[in-house]
């Protein structure tokens, strides 16, 4: 039987002296699946991502990546096995686009003749042809282009797992729609295991195989988009009702 890519087993977590952010949380993400986690601010979404790559450790329970408890992973090895895409991207402003994408391969000790073609391959993959974009600086890019570079950097050493924390939240609606389509194209080719955190149920439906809804540190729904959209749970309905619709007249 295949081992899940990511598993949360009865995980609880709290900051010192604060109420629990997660309360006996359990969830399984199979290899190659895209899971979107939706919930209001403070529901515990970003905390879950930090538990996956061991920026945080659970107070109770266990988080497993590829069947191994994160406590058993060497932290740097784990983080290089798990790509991470943030809302603010975090590109190094003093590095070119190519050098930003090459950061982790260089840390891994890849030779230059392996790094250069990999950078070109990734920039082409995310729709930024290397001949046009490799030598540019981050401040010469639009927000959507910077986000594409962030995705390329996260994929640089071909990690099996990709974590995305509000990756498109700061972008205008048209750019977001373009990047949603780009994400679906890339995922159809690479089949990574992906967890996307978002507060936008519409975005979750657009990107994910399954949608999980968090409230007060617990998973109150987790299913295919159609099943979640049909939920009668009032906590889920509040998020569904917030989806923006275009007036018909």
């Amino acid at each position: 039987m295949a081992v899940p890519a990511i598993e949360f087993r009865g995980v609880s977590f709290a900051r010192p002296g604060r109420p629990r952010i997660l309360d006996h949380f359990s969830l399984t993400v199979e290899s190659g699946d895209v899971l979107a986690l939706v919930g209001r601010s403070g529901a515990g979404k970003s905390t879950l991502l930090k538990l996956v790559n061991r920026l945080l450790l659970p107070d109770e329970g266990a988080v497993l990546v590829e069947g191994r408890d994160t406590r058993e992973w060497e932290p740097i090895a784990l983080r290089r096995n798990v790509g991470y895409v943030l809302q603010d991207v975090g590109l190094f402003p003093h590095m070119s686009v190519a050098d930003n994408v090459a950061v982790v391969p260089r840390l891994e000790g890849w030779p230059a003749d392996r790094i250069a073609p990999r950078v070109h391959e990734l920039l082409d993959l995310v729709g930024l042809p290397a001949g046009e974009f490799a030598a540019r600086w981050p401040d010469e890019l639009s927000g959507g282009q910077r986000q594409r570079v962030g995705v390329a950097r996260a994929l640089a050493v071909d990690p099996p797992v990709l974590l995305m924390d509000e990756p498109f939240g700061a972008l205008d609606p048209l750019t977001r729609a373009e990047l949603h389509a780009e994400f679906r194209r890339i995922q159809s080719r690479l089949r990574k295991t992906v967890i996307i955190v978002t507060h936008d149920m519409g975005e979750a439906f657009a990107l994910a195989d399954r949608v999980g809804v968090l409230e007060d540190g617990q998973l109150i729904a987790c299913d295919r988009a159609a099943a979640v959209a049909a939920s009668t749970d009032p906590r889920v309905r509040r998020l569904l009702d917030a989806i923006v619709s275009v007036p018909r007249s």
Side-chain angles (χ1 to χ4, degrees), residues 18-88:
R18 304 288 297 277
R20 280 184 172 177
I21 299 172
L22 297 172
D23 187 11
H24 294 94
F25 180 93
S26 294
L27 173 68
T28 298
V29 186
E30 301 296 340
S31 179
D33 275 359
V34 179
L35 172 71
L37 294 174
V38 187
R40 301 177 65 148
S41 296
K45 306 183 301 296
S46 295
T47 298
L48 285 169
L49 297 191
K50 292 175 181 176
L51 286 163
V52 172
N53 70 358
R54 203 180 149 168
L55 290 173
L56 298 172
L57 291 171
D59 299 324
E60 299 177 31
V63 182
L64 289 81
V65 176
E66 298 183 340
R68 292 175 59 195
D69 192 314
T70 55
R71 298 179 183 90
E72 298 172 1
W73 279 86
E74 195 282 317
I76 299 302
L78 173 61
R79 289 167 199 155
R80 291 180 185 169
N81 217 44
V82 177
Y84 205 170
V85 182
L86 303 172
Q87 179 176 327
D88 61 3

Side-chain angles (χ1 to χ4, degrees), residues 155-206:
L155 294 171
V157 294
D158 200 23
V161 174
L162 188 63
L163 307 178
M164 307 182 80
D165 194 351
E166 299 279 5
F168 312 123
L171 303 175
D172 66 84
L174 284 176
T175 302
R176 288 180 76 180
E178 290 171 357
L179 287 182
H180 288 172
E182 195 75 3
F183 171 83
R184 290 191 295 269
R185 180 186 65 80
I186 293 169
Q187 176 61 6
S188 70
R189 175 176 165 183
L190 299 183
R191 300 304 302 170
K192 300 293 183 184
T193 303
V194 186
I195 300 180
I196 300 171
V197 157
T198 178
H199 63 274
D200 183 338
M201 188 70 89
E203 180 166 82
F205 289 163

